[in-house]
Each structure stands twice: as structure tokens, then as C-alpha cells.
Amino acid sequence: MTVLETILYFVVPSVGLYLLIALLVAGPKMARRPRYRAGQPWPHQPLWWTANPQGAQLPAADGHVVTGERGGARGSW
């Protein structure tokens, strides 16, 4: 077996396997669209949002009953 055959049989498949694993790990992240980073210009239209519509003199949202209870995401604690 020559040196070229040895490299062909042992090095090329090993490097190919490493490249395949690297592509499977990094590929999905590279395919995503770029994320917004702080300090970059915002590419979307501005949206006004307030957690307290009564304090901002805005009408309450339809179908939302304000009970004065406090809690987490479900408002159950």
C-alpha cells in the first residue's frame, strides 16, 4: 500500500466524517435569518404597546376583564 492509498483510505473518510458532523451541527444555525442585535437599526414599523391602558388614557382591550388580581402568566397565584 502506498502513502497516497493510506491517506485516501484513512484520512479522507475521517475528515469527511468531521465535516459532515460540523455541517449537521452548524447548518441549521447558518440557514436562519439574521437576529436583531442591540444597537442595530430596527427594520420594522414601530408598535405602541402599554401594560396599563387606563393609565395611558386608552380604552381597555375588548373581552378583557380587569379584576385587580395580581399573578404570574396565568394570574393564579
Side-chain angles (χ1 to χ4, degrees):
M1 195 188 293
T2 66
V3 175
L4 183 61
E5 288 176 337
T6 304
I7 291 174
L8 183 66
Y9 291 141
F10 294 111
V11 174
V12 172
S14 299
V15 170
L17 182 63
Y18 281 115
L19 289 175
L20 177 66
I21 292 172
L23 181 66
L24 290 174
V25 169
K29 186 174 183 177
M30 293 170 50
R32 286 190 220 151
R33 61 185 174 151
R35 296 176 55 184
Y36 171 75
R37 301 288 183 196
Q40 293 179 342
W42 184 250
H44 305 289
Q45 292 293 324
L47 174 70
W48 179 260
W49 182 85
T50 179
N52 184 4
Q54 294 164 342
Q57 289 79 32
L58 297 173
D62 294 336
H64 178 71
V65 179
V66 178
T67 61
E69 295 178 5
R70 299 178 67 174
R74 293 177 299 200
S76 61
W77 53 275

